[in-house]
Amino acid sequence: MQGHSQDIYKAMIEAMRDMVYMCTPDYHLQYLNPAMRDRIGRDAVGEICHKAIYRRDTPCPWCAGMPPPGHTVQCETTCPETGRTSRIACATMGDAEARLVIVSDITDHRMAELELQESETRYKRLVASVTDYIYTVKIENGQAVSTFHGPGCIAVTGYSTADYENDPDLWYKMVHTEDRERVLDQTAQLIEGQAIQPFEHRIIHKNGHIRWVRNTPVPHRNALGMLVSYDGMITDITERKLAEAQISDHTRKLEIINRITIAVNKADNLASMLDEMLNSSLDLLQFHSGCIYLMNENSRTAEMRCASCMPADFINRMAQIDRDHDEAGFLIDNGQAVFHDNCYIAAPAMARRWNFAALARMPLMSKDQTIGMLVIASGQPHHFSENERELLQSIARQMGTALAKTRSEIALRESENRYRTITEQSLVGIQIIQAGRLIFIN
C-alpha cells in the first residue's frame, strides 16, 4: 500500500508544471522531475544542485539555512540571464534531511500584477482629471421625485452614484451651508418653469475639502410644455476660483501699496501720513486694530503716535515702551520683525487681556536704524504666510524711509520758521547780499 502511495505521489510530481528537485544535505541532486530536466536541458542527478541549476558557486540561500523537518522556507528569485522570476519553496524531508525544492515560475503573474497596478494608476489619473459629470432630476406634479448622478460624480464630489441613491438628500447636504439657500432658490425657480442661468456655488467634498462647482441646468418639457425633468452638468471650477482669488488678493495688495506711496508723497504733516500708513497696513491683511510707535531722539523709548481700534487699556499701559520690553526691545535693537500666528499659545496673557489672537510687530527702519515700530493685531488667529511677512516688512521699510524724510523736512521747516521769526522781529536791520545782489532784507 505504501509503495502504491509513493507511485501516486511520484506520478503527481512528474506531471507538475512546476519544477521539482531533491538534493542531499551536501547539495547533490537526487531527483529532478521532467519540468526541471527540461529547464536545465539534461538529467543532472548526482551533480551539485546550485551549480547545475542556478550556476552558483555557493549554496542557494533557501537551502543553506537547513529548515528543520516539517518547516518550509519560501522566497523569490530572478534569473539574471532570462529575467524570469520564480517562487521557491524548500522543505526538509524526514530524518535523512534531504531537501525537496519546488520552483514555480511566477513571471507572468508578476507581469499581470504590474499591468493591473499600471491600469489602476491610469484609472486614478483619469478620474482625477475628470471635472464634469451629468445629473438628471425627474419631475412629477411640480415636485422632484428622483435624481440620478452620473458615474463621474465620484471624481468631482468624492461620492459614488450608489451614495446618492442610498441618501436622496446627499446632493443638498454636500452644498456649503452658506450657499444652500441660494441653491434651493435656483432649484425652486427651475421647477416653477423659470429660465435660470448657470450658477456657481461651493460643495464639501467627501474628504472634507471645499470645492467650487458650476451648475448648468437644462430643462425638458413634454408636448404640453410641462417640465418633466431637467439635466444638469456639474463642473469643478475650484482651480479657476483659487486663481481668481489669488489675482484679486494680489491686486488688492498692490492697490494698498500704491495708496501708501501716494499718502507718503502727498502728506503735508506727520500725523496724517501715520494715520494713512496704519489704515492701509490694516487693510492689507484685513486686521481690526493697530498702532505706530516712533522712537524718541536720543532716548531708549518709543512713543505711540497713532492708533486704530486698540483697547483703551492697551493705549494707557503701552503708550510708551522702552528697550527693556522683551519683544519690543529685541525688535528695536535688532530690527527683527515678530509674528504671532496664535497669541493664545505664544502670549496667552496678552491674548486674554486685549483679545489679540494674531499679532505682528515690524520695525520701521532708516539707514539701518530702527526709528519706529508698526503693530497690527487681529481678534482671530491668522497664519502669516511667507509672502505676507515679506510684504509687511517691505511696507515697513518704505514707511521708515518716508518717515525719516518727512521728519527731516518738518525739522527743516521748523528751523526756517524760527530763523524767519527771529530776523523779522529783530530791531537790527539785516540784509543778505550774494554775488553783488541783495537777496534778503528784514
Short mmCIF file of all heavy atoms in Angstrom, two decimals, residues 147-204:
data_model
loop_
_atom_site.label_atom_id
_atom_site.label_comp_id
_atom_site.label_asym_id
_atom_site.label_seq_id
_atom_site.Cartn_x
_atom_site.Cartn_y
_atom_site.Cartn_z
N THR A 147 -33.45 61.57 -8.42
CA THR A 147 -32.26 62.19 -9.01
C THR A 147 -31.24 61.11 -9.32
O THR A 147 -30.99 60.24 -8.48
CB THR A 147 -31.62 63.22 -8.05
OG1 THR A 147 -32.60 64.19 -7.68
CG2 THR A 147 -30.45 63.93 -8.72
N PHE A 148 -30.68 61.18 -10.51
CA PHE A 148 -29.62 60.24 -10.89
C PHE A 148 -28.34 61.02 -11.13
O PHE A 148 -28.34 62.02 -11.86
CB PHE A 148 -29.98 59.46 -12.15
CG PHE A 148 -28.83 58.64 -12.70
CD1 PHE A 148 -28.47 57.46 -12.09
CD2 PHE A 148 -28.11 59.09 -13.80
CE1 PHE A 148 -27.40 56.71 -12.59
CE2 PHE A 148 -27.04 58.36 -14.29
CZ PHE A 148 -26.69 57.16 -13.68
N HIS A 149 -27.25 60.57 -10.52
CA HIS A 149 -25.94 61.21 -10.69
C HIS A 149 -25.05 60.28 -11.51
O HIS A 149 -24.90 59.10 -11.18
CB HIS A 149 -25.29 61.49 -9.34
CG HIS A 149 -26.00 62.55 -8.55
ND1 HIS A 149 -25.56 63.84 -8.45
CD2 HIS A 149 -27.16 62.50 -7.84
CE1 HIS A 149 -26.38 64.54 -7.71
NE2 HIS A 149 -27.36 63.76 -7.31
N GLY A 150 -24.47 60.82 -12.57
CA GLY A 150 -23.60 60.03 -13.43
C GLY A 150 -22.36 59.55 -12.71
O GLY A 150 -21.96 60.08 -11.67
N PRO A 151 -21.68 58.51 -13.26
CA PRO A 151 -20.52 57.92 -12.59
C PRO A 151 -19.37 58.90 -12.37
O PRO A 151 -18.54 58.70 -11.49
CB PRO A 151 -20.11 56.77 -13.52
CG PRO A 151 -20.77 57.07 -14.82
CD PRO A 151 -22.01 57.83 -14.52
N GLY A 152 -19.32 59.99 -13.16
CA GLY A 152 -18.24 60.96 -12.98
C GLY A 152 -18.35 61.74 -11.69
O GLY A 152 -17.43 62.47 -11.33
N CYS A 153 -19.46 61.57 -10.95
CA CYS A 153 -19.66 62.34 -9.73
C CYS A 153 -18.59 62.04 -8.68
O CYS A 153 -18.25 62.91 -7.88
CB CYS A 153 -21.06 62.08 -9.16
SG CYS A 153 -21.37 60.36 -8.70
N ILE A 154 -18.05 60.84 -8.68
CA ILE A 154 -17.07 60.48 -7.65
C ILE A 154 -15.79 61.29 -7.81
O ILE A 154 -15.13 61.62 -6.83
CB ILE A 154 -16.78 58.96 -7.68
CG1 ILE A 154 -16.01 58.56 -6.43
CG2 ILE A 154 -16.02 58.58 -8.94
CD1 ILE A 154 -15.91 57.05 -6.25
N ALA A 155 -15.45 61.64 -9.06
CA ALA A 155 -14.23 62.42 -9.28
C ALA A 155 -14.39 63.85 -8.79
O ALA A 155 -13.44 64.46 -8.31
CB ALA A 155 -13.87 62.41 -10.76
N VAL A 156 -15.60 64.40 -8.90
CA VAL A 156 -15.83 65.79 -8.53
C VAL A 156 -16.19 65.93 -7.06
O VAL A 156 -15.70 66.84 -6.37
CB VAL A 156 -16.95 66.40 -9.40
CG1 VAL A 156 -17.24 67.84 -9.00
CG2 VAL A 156 -16.57 66.33 -10.87
N THR A 157 -17.03 65.03 -6.54
CA THR A 157 -17.55 65.18 -5.18
C THR A 157 -16.98 64.17 -4.18
O THR A 157 -17.11 64.37 -2.97
CB THR A 157 -19.08 65.02 -5.19
OG1 THR A 157 -19.43 63.65 -5.47
CG2 THR A 157 -19.72 65.92 -6.23
N GLY A 158 -16.40 63.08 -4.68
CA GLY A 158 -15.92 62.03 -3.79
C GLY A 158 -16.98 60.99 -3.49
O GLY A 158 -16.69 59.93 -2.94
N TYR A 159 -18.25 61.29 -3.84
CA TYR A 159 -19.35 60.36 -3.60
C TYR A 159 -19.67 59.60 -4.88
O TYR A 159 -19.61 60.16 -5.98
CB TYR A 159 -20.60 61.10 -3.12
CG TYR A 159 -20.43 61.78 -1.78
CD1 TYR A 159 -20.22 63.16 -1.69
CD2 TYR A 159 -20.48 61.06 -0.60
CE1 TYR A 159 -20.06 63.80 -0.47
CE2 TYR A 159 -20.33 61.68 0.63
CZ TYR A 159 -20.11 63.04 0.69
OH TYR A 159 -19.96 63.66 1.91
N SER A 160 -20.05 58.33 -4.74
CA SER A 160 -20.39 57.49 -5.89
C SER A 160 -21.87 57.61 -6.20
O SER A 160 -22.66 58.15 -5.41
CB SER A 160 -20.03 56.04 -5.61
OG SER A 160 -20.84 55.53 -4.56
N THR A 161 -22.26 57.07 -7.36
CA THR A 161 -23.68 57.03 -7.73
C THR A 161 -24.48 56.30 -6.67
O THR A 161 -25.60 56.72 -6.31
CB THR A 161 -23.84 56.33 -9.09
OG1 THR A 161 -23.11 57.08 -10.08
CG2 THR A 161 -25.30 56.25 -9.50
N ALA A 162 -23.93 55.22 -6.13
CA ALA A 162 -24.63 54.46 -5.08
C ALA A 162 -24.83 55.30 -3.83
O ALA A 162 -25.87 55.18 -3.16
CB ALA A 162 -23.84 53.19 -4.76
N ASP A 163 -23.86 56.15 -3.49
CA ASP A 163 -24.01 57.02 -2.32
C ASP A 163 -25.22 57.92 -2.45
O ASP A 163 -25.98 58.12 -1.50
CB ASP A 163 -22.75 57.87 -2.12
CG ASP A 163 -21.55 57.05 -1.69
OD1 ASP A 163 -21.74 56.02 -1.02
OD2 ASP A 163 -20.41 57.44 -2.03
N TYR A 164 -25.40 58.48 -3.65
CA TYR A 164 -26.56 59.36 -3.88
C TYR A 164 -27.87 58.57 -3.88
O TYR A 164 -28.90 59.08 -3.44
CB TYR A 164 -26.39 60.10 -5.21
CG TYR A 164 -25.32 61.17 -5.17
CD1 TYR A 164 -24.06 60.93 -5.72
CD2 TYR A 164 -25.56 62.40 -4.59
CE1 TYR A 164 -23.07 61.90 -5.68
CE2 TYR A 164 -24.58 63.38 -4.54
CZ TYR A 164 -23.34 63.11 -5.09
OH TYR A 164 -22.36 64.08 -5.04
N GLU A 165 -27.81 57.34 -4.38
CA GLU A 165 -29.03 56.51 -4.36
C GLU A 165 -29.41 56.14 -2.94
O GLU A 165 -30.60 56.12 -2.60
CB GLU A 165 -28.80 55.25 -5.20
CG GLU A 165 -28.67 55.52 -6.70
CD GLU A 165 -28.35 54.26 -7.48
OE1 GLU A 165 -28.07 53.22 -6.83
OE2 GLU A 165 -28.36 54.31 -8.72
N ASN A 166 -28.43 55.88 -2.10
CA ASN A 166 -28.72 55.49 -0.71
C ASN A 166 -29.17 56.68 0.14
O ASN A 166 -29.87 56.49 1.14
CB ASN A 166 -27.47 54.85 -0.09
CG ASN A 166 -27.11 53.54 -0.75
OD1 ASN A 166 -27.98 52.83 -1.26
ND2 ASN A 166 -25.83 53.20 -0.74
N ASP A 167 -28.78 57.88 -0.23
CA ASP A 167 -29.15 59.07 0.52
C ASP A 167 -29.68 60.12 -0.45
O ASP A 167 -28.91 60.90 -1.01
CB ASP A 167 -27.95 59.62 1.29
CG ASP A 167 -28.33 60.78 2.21
OD1 ASP A 167 -29.51 61.22 2.16
OD2 ASP A 167 -27.46 61.26 2.95
N PRO A 168 -31.00 60.17 -0.68
CA PRO A 168 -31.57 61.11 -1.66
C PRO A 168 -31.29 62.58 -1.34
O PRO A 168 -31.38 63.42 -2.23
CB PRO A 168 -33.07 60.80 -1.58
CG PRO A 168 -33.17 59.42 -1.03
CD PRO A 168 -32.02 59.30 -0.09
N ASP A 169 -30.97 62.90 -0.08
CA ASP A 169 -30.70 64.29 0.29
C ASP A 169 -29.22 64.65 0.24
O ASP A 169 -28.84 65.77 0.60
CB ASP A 169 -31.22 64.56 1.71
CG ASP A 169 -32.73 64.43 1.80
OD1 ASP A 169 -33.42 64.77 0.82
OD2 ASP A 169 -33.23 64.00 2.87
N LEU A 170 -28.39 63.72 -0.22
CA LEU A 170 -26.96 63.96 -0.22
C LEU A 170 -26.58 65.15 -1.10
O LEU A 170 -25.69 65.93 -0.78
CB LEU A 170 -26.21 62.70 -0.68
CG LEU A 170 -24.68 62.79 -0.74
CD1 LEU A 170 -24.11 63.18 0.62
CD2 LEU A 170 -24.09 61.46 -1.20
N TRP A 171 -27.30 65.32 -2.23
CA TRP A 171 -26.99 66.42 -3.14
C TRP A 171 -27.09 67.78 -2.43
O TRP A 171 -26.36 68.71 -2.74
CB TRP A 171 -27.93 66.41 -4.34
CG TRP A 171 -29.36 66.80 -3.99
CD1 TRP A 171 -30.35 65.99 -3.54
CD2 TRP A 171 -29.90 68.13 -3.99
NE1 TRP A 171 -31.50 66.71 -3.28
CE2 TRP A 171 -31.25 68.02 -3.56
CE3 TRP A 171 -29.39 69.38 -4.32
CZ2 TRP A 171 -32.08 69.14 -3.44
CZ3 TRP A 171 -30.22 70.49 -4.21
CH2 TRP A 171 -31.55 70.36 -3.78
N TYR A 172 -28.01 67.86 -1.44
CA TYR A 172 -28.21 69.09 -0.68
C TYR A 172 -27.23 69.18 0.50
O TYR A 172 -26.68 70.24 0.79
CB TYR A 172 -29.64 69.16 -0.19
CG TYR A 172 -29.94 70.31 0.73
CD1 TYR A 172 -30.05 71.61 0.24
CD2 TYR A 172 -30.10 70.12 2.11
CE1 TYR A 172 -30.31 72.68 1.09
CE2 TYR A 172 -30.36 71.18 2.96
CZ TYR A 172 -30.47 72.46 2.44
OH TYR A 172 -30.72 73.52 3.28
N LYS A 173 -27.00 68.05 1.15
CA LYS A 173 -26.12 68.03 2.31
C LYS A 173 -24.69 68.43 1.95
O LYS A 173 -23.98 69.02 2.77
CB LYS A 173 -26.11 66.64 2.96
CG LYS A 173 -27.43 66.23 3.58
CD LYS A 173 -27.34 64.80 4.11
CE LYS A 173 -28.65 64.34 4.74
NZ LYS A 173 -28.58 62.92 5.18
N MET A 174 -24.26 68.10 0.72
CA MET A 174 -22.88 68.40 0.36
C MET A 174 -22.68 69.86 -0.03
O MET A 174 -21.55 70.34 -0.14
CB MET A 174 -22.42 67.50 -0.79
CG MET A 174 -23.01 67.87 -2.14
SD MET A 174 -22.35 66.81 -3.45
CE MET A 174 -23.14 67.56 -4.87
N VAL A 175 -23.79 70.62 -0.23
CA VAL A 175 -23.67 72.04 -0.55
C VAL A 175 -23.19 72.80 0.68
O VAL A 175 -23.65 72.54 1.80
CB VAL A 175 -25.02 72.60 -1.04
CG1 VAL A 175 -24.91 74.11 -1.29
CG2 VAL A 175 -25.47 71.88 -2.31
N HIS A 176 -22.27 73.72 0.49
CA HIS A 176 -21.76 74.53 1.60
C HIS A 176 -22.93 75.25 2.28
O HIS A 176 -23.84 75.76 1.61
CB HIS A 176 -20.76 75.56 1.06
CG HIS A 176 -19.94 76.21 2.12
ND1 HIS A 176 -20.42 77.22 2.93
CD2 HIS A 176 -18.65 76.00 2.52
CE1 HIS A 176 -19.48 77.61 3.76
NE2 HIS A 176 -18.39 76.89 3.54
N THR A 177 -22.91 75.29 3.62
CA THR A 177 -24.05 75.84 4.36
C THR A 177 -24.38 77.28 3.95
O THR A 177 -25.55 77.66 3.93
CB THR A 177 -23.76 75.80 5.87
OG1 THR A 177 -22.49 76.43 6.14
CG2 THR A 177 -23.70 74.36 6.36
N GLU A 178 -23.36 78.06 3.59
CA GLU A 178 -23.61 79.45 3.21
C GLU A 178 -24.23 79.57 1.83
O GLU A 178 -24.75 80.64 1.48
CB GLU A 178 -22.31 80.25 3.27
CG GLU A 178 -21.71 80.35 4.67
CD GLU A 178 -20.40 81.12 4.67
OE1 GLU A 178 -20.01 81.63 3.59
OE2 GLU A 178 -19.76 81.21 5.74
N ASP A 179 -24.22 78.50 1.04
CA ASP A 179 -24.75 78.54 -0.33
C ASP A 179 -26.05 77.76 -0.48
O ASP A 179 -26.65 77.77 -1.56
CB ASP A 179 -23.72 77.98 -1.31
CG ASP A 179 -22.45 78.81 -1.36
OD1 ASP A 179 -22.50 79.98 -0.92
OD2 ASP A 179 -21.42 78.31 -1.84
N ARG A 180 -26.50 77.07 0.57
CA ARG A 180 -27.67 76.20 0.44
C ARG A 180 -28.93 76.96 0.05
O ARG A 180 -29.70 76.50 -0.81
CB ARG A 180 -27.89 75.43 1.74
CG ARG A 180 -26.87 74.33 1.97
CD ARG A 180 -27.12 73.59 3.28
NE ARG A 180 -26.15 72.52 3.47
CZ ARG A 180 -26.10 71.75 4.54
NH1 ARG A 180 -26.97 71.94 5.53
NH2 ARG A 180 -25.19 70.80 4.64
N GLU A 181 -29.18 78.10 0.69
CA GLU A 181 -30.40 78.85 0.41
C GLU A 181 -30.44 79.28 -1.06
O GLU A 181 -31.49 79.17 -1.72
CB GLU A 181 -30.48 80.08 1.32
CG GLU A 181 -31.77 80.87 1.15
CD GLU A 181 -31.88 82.02 2.13
OE1 GLU A 181 -31.00 82.12 3.03
OE2 GLU A 181 -32.83 82.81 2.00
N ARG A 182 -29.31 79.74 -1.58
CA ARG A 182 -29.28 80.17 -2.98
C ARG A 182 -29.49 78.99 -3.91
O ARG A 182 -30.19 79.11 -4.93
CB ARG A 182 -27.92 80.84 -3.27
CG ARG A 182 -27.80 81.42 -4.66
CD ARG A 182 -26.66 82.42 -4.71
NE ARG A 182 -25.40 81.81 -4.30
CZ ARG A 182 -24.59 81.18 -5.16
NH1 ARG A 182 -24.92 81.08 -6.44
NH2 ARG A 182 -23.46 80.66 -4.73
N VAL A 183 -28.91 77.83 -3.59
CA VAL A 183 -29.11 76.64 -4.43
C VAL A 183 -30.58 76.21 -4.41
O VAL A 183 -31.15 75.87 -5.46
CB VAL A 183 -28.20 75.49 -3.95
CG1 VAL A 183 -28.55 74.19 -4.66
CG2 VAL A 183 -26.73 75.83 -4.19
N LEU A 184 -31.21 76.25 -3.23
CA LEU A 184 -32.64 75.90 -3.14
C LEU A 184 -33.49 76.88 -3.94
O LEU A 184 -34.45 76.48 -4.61
CB LEU A 184 -33.07 75.87 -1.68
CG LEU A 184 -32.58 74.70 -0.83
CD1 LEU A 184 -33.07 74.85 0.61
CD2 LEU A 184 -33.05 73.37 -1.42
N ASP A 185 -33.16 78.17 -3.89
CA ASP A 185 -33.91 79.17 -4.66
C ASP A 185 -33.79 78.90 -6.16
O ASP A 185 -34.79 78.97 -6.90
CB ASP A 185 -33.39 80.57 -4.34
CG ASP A 185 -33.78 81.03 -2.94
OD1 ASP A 185 -34.70 80.42 -2.36
OD2 ASP A 185 -33.16 81.98 -2.43
N GLN A 186 -32.60 78.59 -6.61
CA GLN A 186 -32.39 78.30 -8.03
C GLN A 186 -33.18 77.07 -8.45
O GLN A 186 -33.80 77.04 -9.52
CB GLN A 186 -30.89 78.09 -8.31
CG GLN A 186 -30.01 79.30 -8.07
CD GLN A 186 -30.05 80.28 -9.23
OE1 GLN A 186 -30.73 80.06 -10.21
NE2 GLN A 186 -29.33 81.39 -9.10
N THR A 187 -33.16 76.04 -7.59
CA THR A 187 -33.90 74.81 -7.90
C THR A 187 -35.39 75.07 -7.96
O THR A 187 -36.09 74.57 -8.86
CB THR A 187 -33.58 73.73 -6.85
OG1 THR A 187 -32.16 73.52 -6.78
CG2 THR A 187 -34.27 72.42 -7.19
N ALA A 188 -35.92 75.86 -7.02
CA ALA A 188 -37.35 76.17 -7.00
C ALA A 188 -37.75 76.94 -8.25
O ALA A 188 -38.81 76.68 -8.85
CB ALA A 188 -37.68 76.96 -5.74
N GLN A 189 -36.94 77.90 -8.65
CA GLN A 189 -37.23 78.67 -9.87
C GLN A 189 -37.27 77.77 -11.09
O GLN A 189 -38.11 77.93 -11.98
CB GLN A 189 -36.19 79.77 -10.05
CG GLN A 189 -36.25 80.86 -8.99
CD GLN A 189 -35.13 81.87 -9.16
OE1 GLN A 189 -34.60 82.06 -10.26
NE2 GLN A 189 -34.74 82.51 -8.06
N LEU A 190 -36.34 76.81 -11.14
CA LEU A 190 -36.28 75.89 -12.27
C LEU A 190 -37.53 75.03 -12.33
O LEU A 190 -38.14 74.85 -13.39
CB LEU A 190 -35.03 75.03 -12.16
CG LEU A 190 -34.74 74.06 -13.32
CD1 LEU A 190 -34.51 74.84 -14.60
CD2 LEU A 190 -33.53 73.20 -13.00
N ILE A 191 -37.96 74.48 -11.17
CA ILE A 191 -39.14 73.63 -11.13
C ILE A 191 -40.41 74.42 -11.48
O ILE A 191 -41.35 73.91 -12.09
CB ILE A 191 -39.26 72.97 -9.75
CG1 ILE A 191 -38.10 71.98 -9.54
CG2 ILE A 191 -40.59 72.24 -9.60
CD1 ILE A 191 -38.08 71.34 -8.17
N GLU A 192 -40.42 75.71 -11.12
CA GLU A 192 -41.57 76.56 -11.44
C GLU A 192 -41.61 76.95 -12.90
O GLU A 192 -42.56 77.61 -13.35
CB GLU A 192 -41.52 77.83 -10.57
CG GLU A 192 -41.80 77.56 -9.10
CD GLU A 192 -41.52 78.78 -8.24
OE1 GLU A 192 -41.13 79.84 -8.82
OE2 GLU A 192 -41.67 78.70 -7.01
N GLY A 193 -40.61 76.57 -13.66
CA GLY A 193 -40.62 76.84 -15.09
C GLY A 193 -39.85 78.08 -15.49
O GLY A 193 -39.87 78.47 -16.66
N GLN A 194 -39.18 78.73 -14.55
CA GLN A 194 -38.41 79.92 -14.88
C GLN A 194 -37.07 79.54 -15.51
O GLN A 194 -36.49 78.52 -15.19
CB GLN A 194 -38.17 80.76 -13.62
CG GLN A 194 -39.41 81.23 -12.92
CD GLN A 194 -39.10 82.06 -11.70
OE1 GLN A 194 -38.10 82.77 -11.67
NE2 GLN A 194 -39.95 81.98 -10.68
N ALA A 195 -36.64 80.40 -16.42
CA ALA A 195 -35.34 80.17 -17.06
C ALA A 195 -34.25 80.70 -16.13
O ALA A 195 -34.33 81.83 -15.65
CB ALA A 195 -35.27 80.89 -18.40
N ILE A 196 -33.27 79.89 -15.85
CA ILE A 196 -32.17 80.31 -14.99
C ILE A 196 -30.84 80.09 -15.69
O ILE A 196 -30.71 79.20 -16.55
CB ILE A 196 -32.18 79.57 -13.63
CG1 ILE A 196 -31.92 78.06 -13.83
CG2 ILE A 196 -33.47 79.80 -12.88
CD1 ILE A 196 -31.72 77.33 -12.53
N GLN A 197 -29.89 80.92 -15.35
CA GLN A 197 -28.56 80.82 -15.91
C GLN A 197 -27.70 79.88 -15.07
O GLN A 197 -28.02 79.60 -13.91
CB GLN A 197 -27.92 82.21 -15.96
CG GLN A 197 -28.65 83.20 -16.84
CD GLN A 197 -28.68 82.75 -18.29
OE1 GLN A 197 -27.67 82.30 -18.84
NE2 GLN A 197 -29.84 82.87 -18.92
N PRO A 198 -26.63 79.38 -15.64
CA PRO A 198 -25.70 78.57 -14.83
C PRO A 198 -25.26 79.35 -13.60
O PRO A 198 -25.06 80.57 -13.66
CB PRO A 198 -24.53 78.33 -15.79
CG PRO A 198 -25.13 78.44 -17.16
CD PRO A 198 -26.20 79.49 -17.05
N PHE A 199 -25.13 78.67 -12.48
CA PHE A 199 -24.74 79.34 -11.25
C PHE A 199 -23.62 78.57 -10.57
O PHE A 199 -23.45 77.37 -10.80
CB PHE A 199 -25.93 79.53 -10.30
CG PHE A 199 -26.64 78.25 -9.92
CD1 PHE A 199 -26.37 77.62 -8.71
CD2 PHE A 199 -27.58 77.68 -10.76
CE1 PHE A 199 -27.02 76.45 -8.36
CE2 PHE A 199 -28.24 76.50 -10.42
CZ PHE A 199 -27.96 75.88 -9.21
N GLU A 200 -22.86 79.29 -9.78
CA GLU A 200 -21.69 78.72 -9.12
C GLU A 200 -21.90 78.70 -7.62
O GLU A 200 -22.48 79.63 -7.04
CB GLU A 200 -20.44 79.55 -9.47
CG GLU A 200 -20.15 79.57 -10.96
CD GLU A 200 -19.00 80.50 -11.33
OE1 GLU A 200 -18.51 81.21 -10.41
OE2 GLU A 200 -18.61 80.53 -12.50
N HIS A 201 -21.44 77.63 -6.99
CA HIS A 201 -21.55 77.52 -5.54
C HIS A 201 -20.49 76.54 -5.02
O HIS A 201 -19.83 75.85 -5.80
CB HIS A 201 -22.95 77.07 -5.11
CG HIS A 201 -23.34 75.71 -5.61
ND1 HIS A 201 -23.04 74.56 -4.92
CD2 HIS A 201 -24.00 75.31 -6.74
CE1 HIS A 201 -23.49 73.51 -5.59
NE2 HIS A 201 -24.08 73.93 -6.70
N ARG A 202 -20.39 76.48 -3.72
CA ARG A 202 -19.40 75.60 -3.08
C ARG A 202 -20.05 74.29 -2.61
O ARG A 202 -21.23 74.27 -2.27
CB ARG A 202 -18.76 76.30 -1.88
CG ARG A 202 -17.85 77.45 -2.23
CD ARG A 202 -17.58 78.34 -1.03
NE ARG A 202 -18.79 79.05 -0.62
CZ ARG A 202 -18.85 79.88 0.42
NH1 ARG A 202 -17.78 80.07 1.17
NH2 ARG A 202 -19.97 80.49 0.71
N ILE A 203 -19.25 73.24 -2.62
CA ILE A 203 -19.67 71.96 -2.04
C ILE A 203 -18.58 71.49 -1.08
O ILE A 203 -17.44 71.96 -1.14
CB ILE A 203 -19.92 70.88 -3.11
CG1 ILE A 203 -18.60 70.54 -3.84
CG2 ILE A 203 -21.00 71.31 -4.10
CD1 ILE A 203 -18.71 69.31 -4.75
N ILE A 204 -18.96 70.58 -0.21
CA ILE A 204 -17.99 69.94 0.68
C ILE A 204 -17.69 68.56 0.12
O ILE A 204 -18.55 67.69 0.09
CB ILE A 204 -18.52 69.81 2.12
CG1 ILE A 204 -19.01 71.17 2.63
CG2 ILE A 204 -17.43 69.24 3.03
CD1 ILE A 204 -17.94 72.23 2.69
#
